[in-house]
Each structure stands twice: as structure tokens, then as C-alpha cells.
Amino acid sequence: MNLNRRNALFASGAAASLSMIPGRVLGANEKVDVAWIGVGGRGPRIISNFERSGILNVVALCDVHVDNKNMQAMKAKYPNAKVYQDWRKLFDEMSNQFDAVINLTPDHQHFPISMVSMAHGKPVYTEKPLARTFQEIDLLMAAEKKYGVPTQMGNQGHSGDNYFQFKAWKEAGIIKDVTHVDAYMNKWRRWHPWGDLQAYPTGAKKPAGLDWDIWLGVTPTPNVYDPKFHPGNWRGWYQYGTGCFGDWGAHILDTIHRFLELGMPEKISATKWVQPNDLIFPLATTINFAFPARGDMPAMDIDWYDGQENLPPIPKEFAGRELKKDKPGKFIYSKDYVFQGDSHGSTLQILPYEKYRELLKAGNVPKNFGKNSDHYTNFLLACKGEEETRSPFSVSGPLSQVLVLGCLAQRLGGELHFDRETRRITNNKLADSLLKDEVRKGWEQYYKL
């Protein structure tokens, strides 16, 4: 299919017919043929995680920078895999030659690649957060429902021990009546290294083999290459990324959001706002999310802390221990207990530890969560019809929307009121308009379900 025909296909809505193309029926001992999009950054590490499943077969490798060292290493490792620079051409030429898609691109590219994958009837694993805007996540959830393929967001802790522990402890009545959460990430990362910026960079000589037009994707500005954007530095820019909160909130708040059935907040407030900027995320923020009562669960709120020196309060039950700045985590406050946990799949402890030990000794705490597939194997087994994914877009989408609402508060400051029924911000026209974003000319077709 040539590029003009593809654009016409999506623009006309005819892409819906692609979902009717049946996928290959995989036998019990067959591997899942995967097209891997986004190799240059964490590609080798994540590929090795998928390889542990024993059922991964990489048939295509795609990256906008074909000369980067990770792409070269993966080409050597998978000499039979076809190599692409433009993911659109990959779908044009070999969509009938792979079973699933792994999407490890920057945040601003998650949306179009995931939409096209589902429209072609392909299960898709997309890194967190699911997308960069509220509207994009709405469309991804609608596409998942329409096309009916397995999906998974890459918050890998959602298949770890914390997932099974949180579920079991809530069902056992140990986690109940939660009223407040303090979540934090205070480790230095490359989200805020550029100082008080007044304008976008004016550009620099791009590395050989990098197609910057494809990297830009759906985003209209800025349109010049600069090392302050790529590689890796894109996360700190509103135009391309979701900052510290979008990156780590998915690893720290996922089980809280899911099993406490939080949905959307009613109010999001920037209670601390250090070095705000029109282009990049602030140096440090504290963001409060207010959630209403849900069924028999009380109203609760979450305070998010980021920035190296912006630490959460320490509960007295923490027994005077010092909070390590390089270790993200959370404190969960309920009527009966205070829980402490780190990120990803790390399990919770009840504070103080003596109380936890007493409960364990009495046998009142479920602690055997069985043998379960990890996040990567879970996705591949879902492609084979043997499991259901644990972080499908229907689950990870609302979590990601909470993250992007927090990013809006970090960007604009003040207080945002969110109507959970109309799904609009009611007190700030600019914030409401930013629930979706301008789309670069020539890429509009991906926003038509």
C-alpha cells in the first residue's frame, strides 16, 4: 500500500475493515512474531525481558535512528528481522507477517502507532503512560473496544507481587477505608536540566541516520532537531513528554488507582510549584488529587511529590527511618493501618513493622500469591489466547488520564475542577483546551476512529 492510499484509508474511516483481518492462530508451542518499534533507547533491555518468556520471535525492527548503537546491536542479534526507519512503511509492507506490536517510542508517538496497530488487528504493548493527552487516551480506549485485540501498557509492576498482594489484601479487608496517599519520586532525572527557558532551541546538526520528520510524528512544534529533545531528553518537554509524574506515577499509583476504583479526580491542585516554565515541567511540584466517595469507600486524596528536595511528610509509624531520595514510593493512610511501599512490583508493608509481624504470625495476612507470569509473558500469552492482559487500555487508560491531568496542573499551576460526568475542566478554559492538542498537518487521520 503506498503512502497516499494509506492516508486516504485512514481519512475515510475505511481502516475499520482492517480489524476484520483474522490474526494467525498460534499453536501451543509456537512463538509470537513481533514487530518492534522503538529500539534505540531501552530497546535491548526490554527485548531481553520479553525473551525470558521463551515465546518471543522478533521479525521486524523499527527505529527513526537506524545508525544508533542499540539498533545496530539488535540487527546483529536478529539478522533475519526486517529493518525499518518509518513505522508507517512497516505496516504497509508486512502487516500480514507479524502477530503483535511492541511500541517503545517516546510519549508523543505512543498514540498513532497504537491506533494503527489495533486497526490492523494487532495486539499492542505500549509503554507508559499510554499517551500524552486526555483525548488521545479516550481514542485508544475506544479503539481497543472497537477492534477487540489484546492490549497492555508497560507498567510492568502491574504483573508483580504488589498487584496480587494489593488485590488479595483488599479482598481480605486489610486495605480498606483509605483516606490519603503520599506518593513521591525525588531522584534526579533528566526532566528539568535546562534552567528557566524562554524559547525552544533553534536547532543543531542531527546525527547521521536520524529521520527527524518521523520522530516528530503528530507534534507540530518545534520542528528542528536538538539534543535537548533527543535522545531521551524529550520527557521534560510538554510537547513531547509527561515529565516525572507521567513516567513514575504509572509505577507507583497503579494498584491504588485500580483496586480503590478511583476513576477521575474532582479537583487537581498545584500546592507547590517551583520554577514553572511555559515549555518544560517545573523543577519541583506537589500536586493534590481529590477523589469522591466510591460505593462504600470514603472520599480520599493523593499528594504527589517530585523534585529532589521536595519530600513527603514521614508518618510516625515509619519509626524515625530516613526517606531515601533515590527510592520512589508511597505511604497509604487508612482507618486501621498505615502502609508503606516502593514502586513497580514491590510489596507493601504495614507500619510499624511490629504490627505487620503480629498480623503475619496470627495468619491474618494473605502472603502467598501463587506463581504468575510476568508482564511481558502475560502480554505474549494473551496474544496466544491463553491469558488476559493485566494492564489493558481499559484499565491503564483511566490511570494515564489521571497522570495527564496532573501534568496539566504542573504546567498551569493553581486549581483545576474536573467534571467526572462531562469529562471536562470547568474552571480554566486553557486547561480544558489542552485536554487535546494541535495535530501536525498530514497526521490528522490517526485521530479518526
Side-chain angles (χ1 to χ4, degrees):
M1 185 188 300
N2 63 43
L3 298 188
N4 289 333
R5 164 138 172 77
R6 180 193 57 233
N7 289 345
L9 179 69
F10 278 90
S12 67
S17 64
L18 293 175
S19 67
M20 302 306 294
I21 300 173
R24 183 168 67 101
V25 177
L26 297 170
N29 297 319
E30 279 192 276
K31 294 186 176 182
V32 181
D33 291 340
V34 166
W36 200 284
I37 305 175
V39 180
R42 298 172 64 240
R45 178 181 174 184
I46 305 302
I47 286 175
S48 68
N49 290 338
F50 273 96
E51 284 177 329
R52 290 199 302 265
S53 69
I55 55 174
L56 173 75
N57 185 38
V58 178
V59 299
L61 295 164
C62 182
D63 196 279
V64 296
H65 193 183
V66 292
D67 293 340
N68 75 65
K69 64 179 183 179
N70 286 346
M71 186 66 161
Q72 295 302 316
M74 292 302 98
K75 284 164 62 177
K77 186 172 186 176
Y78 298 100
N80 295 325
K82 294 184 179 180
V83 175
Y84 288 88
Q85 189 169 34
D86 188 335
W87 58 266
R88 298 166 299 178
K89 189 175 181 182
L90 182 155
F91 281 99
D92 286 345
E93 293 185 356
M94 60 176 302
S95 64
N96 63 343
Q97 298 175 49
F98 56 85
D99 305 311
V101 174
I102 310 293
N103 180 6
L104 258 63
T105 56
D107 292 357
H108 70 286
Q109 286 280 35
H110 289 180
F111 171 75
I113 295 171
S114 299
M115 288 292 283
V116 172
S117 299
M118 289 185 285
H120 279 80
K122 306 298 181 182
V124 58
Y125 179 106
T126 299
E127 263 298 352
K128 47 76 203 160
L130 203 52
R132 197 180 59 84
T133 71
F134 200 91
Q135 176 213 27
E136 288 178 340
I137 298 167
D138 268 344
L139 289 170
L140 287 171
M141 290 189 291
E144 176 192 48
K145 187 174 181 179
K146 179 175 182 176
Y147 299 123
V149 296
T151 61
Q152 182 98 299
M153 187 174 81
N155 54 334
Q156 60 266 38
H158 214 66
S159 289
D161 285 345
N162 178 246
Y163 171 91
F164 297 100
Q165 178 200 41
F166 206 112
K167 183 176 184 294
W169 282 18
K170 181 174 183 288
E171 291 171 352
I174 296 167
I175 298 177
K176 65 177 181 178
D177 298 328
V178 174
T179 56
H180 180 72
V181 172
D182 284 328
Y184 52 91
M185 167 58 179
N186 308 111
K187 185 178 181 180
W188 185 90
R189 304 285 272 194
R190 52 185 177 187
W191 297 298
H192 323 287
W194 313 123
D196 188 16
L197 283 172
Q198 301 300 312
Y200 284 117
T202 56
K205 183 179 179 181
K206 67 182 180 66
L210 171 63
D211 191 317
W212 191 243
D213 185 72
I214 301 172
W215 189 94
L216 288 170
V218 300
T219 57
T221 55
N223 59 6
V224 296
Y225 166 79
D226 193 278
K228 288 185 174 66
F229 303 137
H230 176 81
N233 295 320
W234 49 267
R235 197 180 296 279
W237 299 83
Y238 301 133
Q239 186 67 61
Y240 302 125
T242 51
C244 177
F245 186 47
D247 189 21
W248 280 88
H251 292 311
I252 299 172
L253 298 175
D254 57 331
T255 46
I256 293 168
H257 185 269
R258 180 169 190 169
F259 295 118
L260 298 185
E261 303 171 25
L262 292 182
M264 295 299 109
E266 293 181 314
K267 185 170 67 174
I268 312 102
S269 308
T271 59
K272 185 171 185 176
W273 205 36
V274 179
Q275 195 177 297
N277 189 277
D278 290 338
L279 304 176
I280 60 174
F281 283 89
L283 188 65
T285 56
T286 303
I287 306 296
N288 178 266
F289 300 82
F291 296 91
R294 292 96 48 223
D296 61 353
M297 290 181 282
M300 62 169 286
D301 70 327
I302 296 173
D303 278 323
W304 167 265
Y305 298 81
D306 64 27
Q308 283 186 278
E309 303 303 323
N310 186 30
L311 305 177
I314 306 300
K316 64 181 185 300
E317 292 87 352
F318 204 47
R321 286 177 282 175
E322 184 178 351
L323 198 68
K324 294 182 179 179
K325 293 182 182 179
D326 62 348
K327 199 169 188 179
K330 64 242 181 183
F331 295 106
I332 302 171
Y333 296 84
S334 73
K335 180 181 177 181
D336 296 325
Y337 302 112
V338 176
F339 304 88
Q340 185 269 328
D342 298 328
S343 68
H344 292 69
S346 298
T347 53
L348 299 172
Q349 287 189 1
I350 297 172
L351 301 177
Y353 190 71
E354 289 72 23
K355 182 179 287 189
Y356 184 29
R357 190 161 48 205
E358 289 173 7
L359 287 169
L360 287 171
K361 187 175 181 180
N364 295 329
V365 181
K367 59 179 181 178
N368 182 6
F369 310 118
K371 185 175 177 60
N372 303 288
S373 58
D374 65 22
H375 210 53
Y376 314 102
T377 304
N378 174 235
F379 173 70
L380 295 176
L381 289 174
C383 294
K384 292 165 66 74
E386 296 177 16
E387 290 189 0
E388 292 185 1
T389 55
R390 299 192 187 99
S391 192
F393 292 176
S394 58
V395 168
S396 54
L399 169 64
S400 295
Q401 288 181 318
V402 172
L403 301 181
V404 300
L405 289 174
C407 290
L408 285 180
Q410 290 178 315
R411 180 173 183 173
L412 302 176
E415 186 174 285
L416 304 177
H417 297 174
F418 187 81
D419 188 314
R420 286 162 52 103
E421 291 190 10
T422 64
R423 297 168 65 78
R424 303 295 295 268
I425 294 171
T426 59
N427 70 322
N428 187 313
K429 289 184 179 180
L430 175 58
D432 187 60
S433 72
L434 290 173
L435 292 176
K436 62 180 181 178
D437 206 354
E438 183 184 356
V439 179
R440 189 158 69 113
K441 186 176 180 180
W443 293 76
E444 303 91 344
Q445 64 268 21
Y446 302 110
Y447 291 79
K448 297 175 182 178
L449 184 63

